[in-house]
Amino acid sequence: TQLVGRDGRLITEAGMEELKSALVRDKVGFAISKIELLAFRTDFDLDRHTGLVPRYIWTEEVARFCFVWIIMIGAVIAVRDSAHFDVDLMPSPKTKREQGISNLVVHASMMLMAVVFAVYGVKFASLGYAQRSEMTGVNMLIIYISFPLAGFSWIGFLTEKIVADVRMIGAPSKPDLGGETSNGDERR
């Protein structure tokens, strides 16, 4: 590494090559040694509520809170962009109407889960309102509110998709003729 003023250090090209060639065991071992250092510097007595907990351990808790939010935001974006995976339980639709029905089944199922997240997420968030984080001292509502917000966001996006599905079902559709023409002859 090389020194970069008061901002810290910068990994050099040689350092990057060394990291790339390091074995996974070495990388994991390095992380575990850091965790062990934190554990040995902590001497908190649970019975007497005394002792020392290093100030920088709270960052792990904040990272966990951010991880929860990232998951919920990612799930909302996946629903909005239809970037989630689908499992084909029904045969492939041949017409626009069948495609609309297939989409409607998927979106209605997702809507059910969105309502569960919204309704029970509000109850879950109210539990968080009465709790405080041990390390950072923040109200846990800040973390728990991500669940009902995701549920309500899903409901909004899925409502748009369900309306589009119903329109697709109601629209006059032409069958996908696949291998046949309208008079029954095969296409070539």
Side-chain angles (χ1 to χ4, degrees):
T1 61
Q2 68 186 37
L3 187 60
V4 183
R6 297 178 72 190
D7 294 333
R9 301 193 69 80
L10 182 67
I11 296 178
T12 61
E13 289 293 324
M16 288 301 288
E17 290 301 317
E18 186 177 335
L19 283 174
K20 287 178 184 175
S21 66
L23 298 174
V24 172
R25 181 181 66 219
D26 297 334
K27 293 175 185 177
V28 171
F30 179 73
I32 290 172
S33 68
K34 291 292 185 185
I35 292 169
E36 287 173 346
L37 281 174
L38 289 175
F40 287 124
R41 291 183 184 166
T42 303
D43 65 350
F44 190 76
D45 183 1
L46 289 173
D47 295 331
R48 290 185 270 158
H49 299 287
T50 60
L52 172 70
V53 176
R55 299 181 97 172
Y56 45 84
I57 288 184
W58 67 268
T59 57
E60 186 271 333
E61 187 174 63
V62 171
R64 199 173 328 127
F65 297 160
C66 291
F67 185 62
V68 169
W69 269 98
I70 291 294
I71 289 170
M72 292 296 116
I73 291 169
V76 168
I77 292 169
V79 169
R80 182 194 68 191
D81 295 344
S82 296
H84 50 79
F85 65 90
D86 293 334
V87 177
D88 293 331
L89 298 176
M90 299 182 286
S92 297
K94 305 248 186 285
T95 64
K96 288 281 189 186
R97 183 173 190 278
E98 289 175 0
Q99 181 67 49
I101 291 170
S102 177
N103 290 347
L104 184 61
V105 169
V106 170
H107 293 143
S109 301
M110 291 171 65
M111 179 67 85
L112 181 66
M113 286 307 301
V115 169
V116 167
F117 263 75
V119 171
Y120 289 102
V122 169
K123 293 178 183 179
F124 185 58
S126 67
L127 290 173
Y129 182 70
Q131 298 177 13
R132 289 214 166 286
S133 162
E134 286 187 35
M135 295 290 180
T136 58
V138 299
N139 190 308
M140 293 300 285
L141 177 66
I142 293 172
I143 294 87
Y144 292 4
I145 197 74
S146 64
F147 293 93
L149 286 177
F152 287 119
S153 299
W154 294 337
I155 288 170
F157 292 130
L158 288 169
T159 300
E160 291 178 14
K161 292 180 183 300
I162 288 173
V163 167
D165 296 340
V166 169
R167 285 186 183 145
M168 188 183 293
I169 292 168
S173 64
K174 298 175 187 167
D176 179 29
L177 301 175
E180 295 184 1
T181 62
S182 59
N183 63 6
D185 296 331
E186 285 191 19
R187 269 192 215 167
R188 304 215 187 238

